[in-house]
Amino acid sequence: MKSKPIYYCTNCGNETMKWQGRCPACGAWNTIVEHTERTGPSSRAAGSPAGGRRPKTLREVESSDELRFSTGSGELDRVLGGGAVQGSLVLVGGAPGIGKSTLLLQICRHVCRERKVLYVSGEESERQLKLRAQRLQVDSEQLYVLSETSMDGLLDTVRELQPDVLIADSIQTLYDAESDSMPGSVSQVKACTLALMQLSKSTGITVFVVGHVNKEGSIAGPKVLEHMVDCVLYFEGDRNTSYRLLRAEKNRFGSTNELGVFEMVDSGLREVPNPSEMLLAGRPLNTPGTCVACVMEGTRPVLAEVQALVTQTTFNVPRRTTDGFDFNRAVLLLAVLEKRGGMNLASCDAYVNVIGGLRLDEPAADLPVVLAVASSFRDRPVEDCVAAVGEVGLTGEIRAVTNLPQRLQEIARMGFTRCILPRQGTEALRAPEGLELLRVRNLREAIEIAL
């Protein structure tokens, strides 16, 4: 079996055919290391039953109503597209301590009622897994735990036990004996993920894999790892707060727009079925510089509080800072507000923040951001019972957005009595009971009504 040296960057994972002092991809110095990758055929690949398969027509492929199964977590099922798919490979990533392992161990409580689960950990011993399971109140005769880092040992255990669900925590701790590089390296992560993918597709086992993230916030290892799996989930949130957001970066069996909300408590992760109530908790009343927005997270409307602070600058160039909102979009809206709204923001620092760790990335959040900035600039509060929805154009016009009926229902359900929205395209829209619709054409009308 022949081998050849390959060099890769430990910082970004970029591969090159020769050693260099500086990585050409990320520009880091002294991060290029050498590893040997065998080019001969793998014994596992050569003996794989996939070599004798023949192509089938689409009509010949059998499909069952039991293709999906519930994980027991409504928020996780929502993000997955209605439940976990049999034979799928799901990658769960996030910062250390964010709750990845906790979530996967918690779902075993429900999944083990009907399926056999094997939890393989390369970071914890069986005793440590037992202690964590007791804290999370997880106990089932169908749950098997294994402390293993060898890929061969993991596959042998799977062949012997034949579980329905496999959880590997984490992919960076597994190693393939056929590769000479260290666990967590580019070649090891690729080889182990490929083996797990072949396992899930050939046997129908649902595989959940935990992935570490690097300092940039992406999954550590080559980008091809995310291409190989069926679903990529990211846990987000500030470790200083108790709330966690779960998003799908990629999903071959569902939408990538859904959002799952959890709260970290002493007994593990608790689902938050009403994110709007959580995001609006503690909202200051009768205070300038705040406005409530309604955005769509997949099929779910969510209310979020947008805060802004405008102060006189002490620098030659005013500062612009955003958290939870696109910086370039915020700069554009400030320019429109100055030009079309008649506010002198060129001599002011402006700060925009979205409460709760949520990120607003759709046009419907334009109008709430503009109203929050205008409220802080004039030091006059937007009424506590008012929410706003609308896209702001460069000429100051307010444009319609999608899913307005669902947004208005959520606004009315949360107790708001007035909503500022675009006049264009909403003439035939009927307001929910108890909600007054304030239709506006442009930015000046919206500011006059809100303030």
Coordinates of all heavy atoms in Angstrom, one line a residue, residues 68 74-85 231 233 248 251 253-256 258:
R68 N -39.6 8.8 9.0 CA -39.3 9.8 10.1 C -39.7 9.2 11.5 O -40.7 8.5 11.5 CB -39.9 11.2 9.9 CG -39.3 12.0 8.8 CD -39.8 13.3 8.8 NE -39.4 14.1 7.6 CZ -38.3 14.9 7.7 NH1 -37.6 15.0 8.8 NH2 -37.9 15.6 6.6
G74 N -39.8 18.6 20.7 CA -40.5 19.3 19.7 C -39.7 20.3 19.0 O -39.9 20.5 17.7
E75 N -38.8 21.0 19.7 CA -38.0 22.0 19.0 C -37.0 21.4 18.1 O -36.8 21.9 17.0 CB -37.3 22.9 20.1 CG -38.2 23.7 21.0 CD -39.0 24.7 20.2 OE1 -38.4 25.6 19.6 OE2 -40.3 24.6 20.2
L76 N -36.4 20.3 18.5 CA -35.5 19.6 17.6 C -36.2 19.0 16.4 O -35.7 19.1 15.3 CB -34.7 18.5 18.4 CG -33.7 17.7 17.6 CD1 -32.7 18.5 17.0 CD2 -33.1 16.6 18.5
D77 N -37.3 18.4 16.6 CA -38.1 17.9 15.5 C -38.5 19.0 14.5 O -38.5 18.8 13.3 CB -39.4 17.2 16.0 CG -39.1 15.9 16.7 OD1 -38.0 15.4 16.5 OD2 -40.0 15.4 17.4
R78 N -38.8 20.2 15.0 CA -39.1 21.3 14.1 C -37.9 21.7 13.2 O -38.1 21.9 12.0 CB -39.6 22.5 15.0 CG -39.8 23.8 14.2 CD -39.9 25.0 15.1 NE -41.2 24.9 15.8 CZ -42.3 25.4 15.4 NH1 -42.4 26.0 14.2 NH2 -43.4 25.3 16.1
V79 N -36.8 21.8 13.8 CA -35.6 22.1 13.1 C -35.2 21.0 12.1 O -34.7 21.3 10.9 CB -34.4 22.4 14.0 CG1 -33.1 22.8 13.2 CG2 -34.8 23.6 14.9
L80 N -35.4 19.8 12.4 CA -35.1 18.7 11.5 C -36.1 18.5 10.4 O -35.8 17.8 9.4 CB -35.0 17.4 12.3 CG -33.8 17.2 13.3 CD1 -33.9 15.9 14.1 CD2 -32.5 17.2 12.5
G81 N -37.2 19.2 10.5 CA -38.2 19.1 9.4 C -39.3 18.2 9.7 O -40.0 17.7 8.8
G82 N -39.6 17.9 11.0 CA -40.7 17.0 11.4 C -40.2 15.7 12.1 O -41.0 14.8 12.4
G83 N -38.9 15.6 12.4 CA -38.4 14.5 13.1 C -37.1 14.0 12.4 O -36.8 14.4 11.3
A84 N -36.4 13.0 13.0 CA -35.2 12.5 12.5 C -35.6 11.5 11.4 O -36.6 10.7 11.5 CB -34.4 11.8 13.6
V85 N -34.8 11.4 10.3 CA -35.0 10.5 9.2 C -34.1 9.3 9.4 O -32.9 9.4 9.7 CB -34.6 11.2 7.9 CG1 -34.8 10.3 6.7 CG2 -35.5 12.5 7.7
C231 N -27.5 16.7 7.4 CA -28.1 17.8 8.1 C -27.0 18.4 9.0 O -26.2 17.6 9.7 CB -29.3 17.4 8.9 SG -30.1 18.7 9.8
L233 N -26.6 21.1 12.1 CA -27.3 21.9 13.1 C -26.3 22.7 13.9 O -25.2 22.1 14.2 CB -28.1 21.0 14.0 CG -29.1 20.0 13.4 CD1 -29.9 19.3 14.5 CD2 -30.1 20.8 12.5
A248 N -30.7 25.1 11.6 CA -30.2 24.2 10.6 C -29.5 24.9 9.5 O -30.1 25.7 8.8 CB -31.4 23.4 10.0
N251 N -30.0 21.1 5.4 CA -31.0 20.0 5.7 C -31.5 19.4 4.4 O -32.3 20.1 3.7 CB -32.2 20.5 6.6 CG -33.0 19.5 7.2 OD1 -32.9 18.3 6.8 ND2 -34.0 19.8 8.0
F253 N -33.6 17.1 4.2 CA -35.0 16.5 4.3 C -35.9 17.5 4.9 O -37.0 17.1 5.4 CB -34.9 15.3 5.2 CG -33.9 14.3 4.8 CD1 -32.7 14.1 5.6 CD2 -34.0 13.5 3.7 CE1 -31.8 13.1 5.2 CE2 -33.1 12.6 3.3 CZ -32.0 12.4 4.1
G254 N -35.6 18.8 4.9 CA -36.5 19.8 5.4 C -36.0 21.2 5.2 O -35.0 21.4 4.5
S255 N -36.6 22.2 5.8 CA -36.3 23.6 5.6 C -35.1 23.9 6.5 O -34.9 23.3 7.5 CB -37.5 24.4 6.0 OG -37.2 25.8 6.0
T256 N -34.4 24.9 6.1 CA -33.3 25.5 6.9 C -33.6 26.8 7.5 O -32.8 27.5 8.1 CB -32.0 25.7 6.0 OG1 -32.4 26.6 4.9 CG2 -31.5 24.4 5.4
E258 N -36.1 27.0 10.0 CA -36.8 26.8 11.3 C -35.8 27.2 12.4 O -34.6 27.1 12.3 CB -37.3 25.4 11.4 CG -38.3 25.0 10.4 CD -39.6 25.8 10.6 OE1 -39.8 26.4 11.7 OE2 -40.5 25.7 9.8

